[in-house]
Amino acid sequence: MDTFPTEGVELTHLMVVSDLEQSRNFYRDVLGAEVYREYGGTSCVLQFQGTWLLLVTGGGPTEDKPSVTFAPPGDPDRVSHQLTMRVPDCRKAYEILRGRGAEFLTPPNDRNGEIRCFFRDPDGHLLEISEIV
C-alpha cells in the first residue's frame, strides 16, 4: 500500500519577499538561519531549525500555475499565515532577537500557560516566539 508522506519528505515554507537581499539578511543575521543556496537574485534557500525556508521575489503565472501570482503581503495587519518558533525561554529569545534588530509588536505576554510575542520580517510576514509554561 502506498502512503504519503513517505520517508524522505521534507517541508519547505515559501515566503514571497520584495527585497531578497534584505530578507535573506534578516533571516540569516536576526534569526540565525543558514543560507543553503541562492538562485539568480530571485530566490534564496535557507535552513532553519530543521526546516527549509524558501524566499522568493514576486512573479506572475507560469505554465504549471497559470492563474497564480506571487506577491509579498499587501497589509501586514491582515495575516493569512505566520511562522511560529517554540522556544525554551521566550523572554531570553526576545532580548536576543531585539538585540539583533527584530522589532516586536509588544514585549512577551503571559497568556495563562503560554508566553508569546510577535514580530515581523522586512515584508511584514508575522513571526512568533512562544514558550509553553
Side-chain angles (χ1 to χ4, degrees), residues 90-109:
C90 187
R91 289 179 178 92
K92 184 175 181 179
Y94 167 82
E95 291 300 332
I96 291 168
L97 294 173
R98 248 178 33 132
R100 293 180 184 171
E103 296 180 16
F104 284 82
L105 279 60
T106 67
N109 187 289

Side-chain angles (χ1 to χ4, degrees), residues 49-110:
Q49 299 298 309
T51 300
W52 296 99
L53 295 177
L54 173 58
L55 307 179
V56 300
T57 55
T62 59
E63 291 177 3
D64 54 347
K65 51 178 184 53
S67 64
V68 177
T69 297
F70 280 23
D75 179 354
D77 291 330
R78 295 183 59 91
V79 175
S80 63
H81 75 282
Q82 77 175 31
L83 183 62
T84 301
M85 294 158 275
R86 185 80 63 206
V87 297
D89 186 331
C90 187
R91 289 179 178 92
K92 184 175 181 179
Y94 167 82
E95 291 300 332
I96 291 168
L97 294 173
R98 248 178 33 132
R100 293 180 184 171
E103 296 180 16
F104 284 82
L105 279 60
T106 67
N109 187 289
D110 191 334

Side-chain angles (χ1 to χ4, degrees), residues 11 13-15 27 31 48 51 53 73 76-86 105 114-121 124-130:
L11 182 65
H13 187 81
L14 182 142
M15 302 176 91
Y27 284 93
L31 292 184
F48 181 67
T51 300
L53 295 177
D77 291 330
R78 295 183 59 91
V79 175
S80 63
H81 75 282
Q82 77 175 31
L83 183 62
T84 301
M85 294 158 275
R86 185 80 63 206
L105 279 60
E114 178 185 29
I115 300 171
R116 68 183 190 185
C117 55
F118 298 85
F119 60 109
R120 292 189 176 106
D121 77 0
H125 294 106
L126 190 63
L127 306 168
E128 173 188 3
I129 53 174
S130 169

